[in-house]
Every structure is written in C-alpha cells, then in structure tokens.
Amino acid sequence: MAMKTAYSEHKDEKAAAAEIADTLNFKVPTAVLFFASSAYDPQAIAKAVGDALPMTTTLGCTTAGELVDRRMLSGSLVACGLYDDDLEACQASLIADPADEQARRKAFAAIASAADDPLAPDPSRHVGIVLQDGMLGTEEAMMNTLSSISNVPFVGGSAGDDRAFEHTHVFLNGQAMEGGAVLLMLRPKRPFAILKTQSFDVQDRVLTATEVDEASRTVIAFDGKPAAEAYADALGVAVSDLEENFMRHPLGLVMADGEPYVRSPQQLRGSDVVFYCQVKQGVRMNVLSSRDIVADTRRDLERSIAELGSCSGIINFHCILRTVELLAKGQSEAYGDLFSGYPTLGFSTYGESYIGHINQTSTMLILG
Amino acid sequence: MAGKVHELIEELVKLRSAGSGSDHFLRAHLMLNGIDPNEFDEASADDPDVVAQLQKMIDDFKRKG
C-alpha cells in the first residue's frame, strides 16, 4: 500500500487535526508524521493531532513552509500515514536535552529496540528519521552521535518557524517541545533509498578555514586572511557585495567522487562569516556555483526511483533557502510537479540531516 | 611518529564495513568532522587531536548505544 498523505488549511488546530485524521484514519496508521506551520499554537496542534489519532505514534515539527504531494504551502498542517502494510516495526523517542550526549545515546538505544538486532541494526533494513529544534544549534552533536554509534542512516530536518528565527518545536504523541529532538526508527517492509540532492557546480577555488569558532558556527579566517575578505576575493567581488552572493555561492566539502556537502553562509559579522552549520578548523572547502534546482532534482529523483524500482512515498526535507530561491524564480509549481504521482510529505527546513547537519539540499527518504 | 591516523582510519573502515556500513557514509562522516581520509597515508605525520578523535569514533562504534 502507498503512504497516505493529507493536509488541512483550517486555522483552528482541532479542525485541522480532524481533517487530516479523517483522511488517514481509514485504518489505524502505525505512525503519522506531521509538519505544522508555526502559525498554529504548538501545544494545541500537537495535542489535537495526538487526540485525533489515539492509537497511532504521532510525531512531527514546526516548519518554514509545508510540502504535500505537488503543493508547496504555508500556514497549513500536512501529514502522512504509514501503515502495518508498509512497516515491520517502528519506534520513536523524544529527547528533551539534545546537548546531552547520554540523552542522545539513551534515545538511540530506545528506538533501536525496534530493530531486529538492537545492538547492531541492519542498515539495509532500517532507516531513521530525526527532527530537531531549529534554533538550538545542537544538530551537529546529534548527527555525530547517530553516525558514530550505528551504520543505520538517519534523514531529517531542523524545525522552522516561518522565518521568524525565534522559536521552533518538535512533537511526539501529543506533546510539543521547544529545544528538543525526536527520533524514529523504521523497518519498512520494502526497500528504501535516501536521496540527497543539491544544485551546485564545484569550482576549483578552495578556501581553508584557518581560524574558527565552532560553537557559534563562525569562520574568522580563511587562508590566514579575514574570512569576509578571503571569501570575497575567491568570488571576485567586493566585500560589500559578498552577502548577496551567499545563496548562489556557498562553500562545499567535496567528497572524492565529487559530491559536495554544502556549508551555507548566513551573514557577515564584522569580518567574520557566520554559517548555518559548523565549519571545522583546517577544512578545505570549494566555492560552489548554483544551478537549476528543478532540473537537477528531476534528474536525481528519476534516477533514484528507477534504481529502487518503485516509489510508494517520499518524505522530503527541503532547505528553506531552496524554497526562497524557487519562489524568487517562480519555480515553485515546477518543483511541486516533480512529485506528481508520488505521495509526498515534506517541509522547508532550517537545515537537513544526513550523516551530518547539511544545507541547501533536498534530502529525501524514498519508500519503494 | 607517522601513519597512526591512516592506520586508525583503516581500522574504522574495517570495523564499520563488518557492520554493513557504506564506504560513502563513513567517508562523509569523517569529512564532516574535519578529517579528509584522502589526506592521510602511511607517511603522514600524526596529529594528536585527529588520533584522539578517531580513537573516540572507534570506541563509540564498538560501544554502540
């Protein structure tokens, strides 16, 4: 059976939850993943969804825009149901303090109880979903723990708040939490794939981070020069024009096969460059140049689905910066059309999760 | 001393491959933690911070949850 999607544009939390439950509850879902605009009261929407689906594990987070099937929405509630036809097992856990390594390990151990071998879940049969507070800055620590203790791949995103950048929430079973994280372990009955797609050419120009403040995600110097000056030189622009080039020219950690892991600059602070993710001391990053998001996503999505052989649903963690670019270029509808025919759920994130905390991607779980 | 970083990377690759981990997953994990596996070979000088970081990764994976 295909993953089932639903959405509501009701402004009232109970009415919105009732509308999605009406669609999803034709049989009791094993799990419902839901993404809610920050326009809803977070406690009220979490409780309403939990009350409307009392026999189901319900989890989700707030957003900077919602995606459902072909639609890119704002101010809405979107959800998908996963059923016992699709899943052999699933287990969720809420982390109140993601900065605490023991709390992260304990949560992983809790969800690993759903695995065939809880001490060593088979990464070909299990996949994790991770939803994190988008304002706390603990995503790297979380992903480092998950990627260090297990080979199970986790995908997910950082919760948004419609670009207010003040308060974000995660949800589990009727509870909303600011500053928390939710983990979900799935053992799907059919094969699955993870797609991380970004739309950048890798340029030859390289910047080495020679002085950083990891905790504040700040680069103070590249190649021994003030970061802003070195970055502007690499792009061939004046420092005064640097910020307007950030979205089109982020930096990338480039793998041996040429795949970049994008590190997106957020703002200048004096001569420092503040990023949306941590930059480690000494790393070499290539300058990237943006390409067409719709064309690249189409190519990568078609390839992934062809390799998988079928697609019963897609969960798409889509960077807010890509949403902003699609809107600016009038390409939102064309992007949505890429998912035509596939039940799709997603949201515009404050960062995506896959192996680490990454930027300017669409990172998707594709269910076969 | 030289080559310890390379040796620990190889140990980590072997350990995680035995658990069906993908090569891409591990290499990306290392890169995101500031360690480029391609920069180290048997002759590379040992950076104590990188050695400690890799040893923790090995211990973490052995210890699991």
Side-chain angles (χ1 to χ4, degrees), chain A residues 193-200 259-260 291-308 314 322 338-339 361-362 364 366:
Chain A
I194 292 169
L195 168 62
K196 176 178 81 69
T197 178
Q198 58 282 314
S199 297
F200 294 100
E259 181 179 356
R291 295 191 308 224
D292 186 285
I293 290 175
V294 173
D296 286 349
T297 307
R298 177 185 292 113
R299 179 201 61 215
D300 292 345
L301 189 58
E302 286 177 351
R303 183 187 302 156
S304 288
I305 292 173
E307 286 173 2
L308 194 56
I314 298 171
R322 284 166 60 95
L338 301 178
F339 301 94
T361 74
S362 284
M364 306 180 207
I366 305 174

Side-chain angles (χ1 to χ4, degrees), chain A residues 101 105 119 123 144 147-151 253-256 259 261 263 283-284 355-356, chain B residues 16 19-21 24-25 27-29 31-34 38-39 56 60-61 63-65:
Chain A
E101 185 177 359
R105 286 175 173 276
L119 287 179
N144 196 33
S147 298
S148 290
I149 63 180
S150 170
N151 283 327
L253 286 169
V254 181
M255 301 282 291
E259 181 179 356
Y261 280 72
R263 326 312 281 154
V283 299
R284 291 162 47 84
I355 307 176
Chain B
R16 298 199 61 148
S20 307
H24 177 92
F25 185 105
R27 288 181 183 279
H29 176 49
M31 291 278 283
L32 289 162
N33 279 283
N38 297 316
E39 286 185 0
K56 182 173 187 312
D60 279 346
F61 192 72
R63 191 174 124 203
K64 313 276 182 207

Side-chain angles (χ1 to χ4, degrees), chain A residues 132-261:
Chain A
Q132 309 188 61
D133 186 280
M135 297 305 299
L136 198 60
T138 54
E139 292 99 330
E140 286 89 352
M142 173 67 76
M143 294 313 296
N144 196 33
T145 295
L146 296 175
S147 298
S148 290
I149 63 180
S150 170
N151 283 327
V152 171
F154 276 78
V155 293
S158 302
D161 64 352
D162 295 295
R163 301 175 70 190
F165 298 103
E166 291 172 351
H167 305 285
T168 65
H169 291 78
V170 297
F171 310 125
L172 180 64
N173 293 335
Q175 186 180 356
M177 180 173 283
E178 184 173 1
V182 174
L183 302 182
L184 177 71
M185 178 84 79
L186 298 173
R187 188 161 79 237
K189 288 187 175 176
R190 291 183 294 278
F192 59 86
I194 292 169
L195 168 62
K196 176 178 81 69
T197 178
Q198 58 282 314
S199 297
F200 294 100
D201 284 320
V202 176
Q203 304 295 315
D204 292 335
R205 289 162 292 175
V206 171
L207 291 168
T208 301
T210 48
E211 188 178 355
V212 303
D213 178 2
E214 283 183 21
S216 65
R217 296 175 170 169
T218 300
V219 176
I220 298 161
F222 286 117
D223 301 314
K225 292 197 290 188
E229 182 189 325
Y231 201 153
D233 284 351
L235 299 188
V237 301
V239 171
S240 56
D241 295 332
L242 183 57
E243 279 185 307
E244 68 188 49
N245 281 278
F246 278 167
M247 264 178 56
R248 282 181 290 128
H249 296 291
L251 304 179
L253 286 169
V254 181
M255 301 282 291
D257 63 5
E259 181 179 356
Y261 280 72

Side-chain angles (χ1 to χ4, degrees), chain A residues 271-318:
Chain A
S271 62
D272 299 344
V273 181
V274 181
F275 283 75
Y276 285 108
C277 59
Q278 275 181 5
V279 174
K280 298 284 185 182
Q281 177 92 22
V283 299
R284 291 162 47 84
M285 297 181 290
N286 290 67
V287 172
L288 307 178
S289 292
S290 64
R291 295 191 308 224
D292 186 285
I293 290 175
V294 173
D296 286 349
T297 307
R298 177 185 292 113
R299 179 201 61 215
D300 292 345
L301 189 58
E302 286 177 351
R303 183 187 302 156
S304 288
I305 292 173
E307 286 173 2
L308 194 56
S310 64
C311 174
S312 65
I314 298 171
I315 300 170
N316 183 3
F317 302 97
H318 179 73

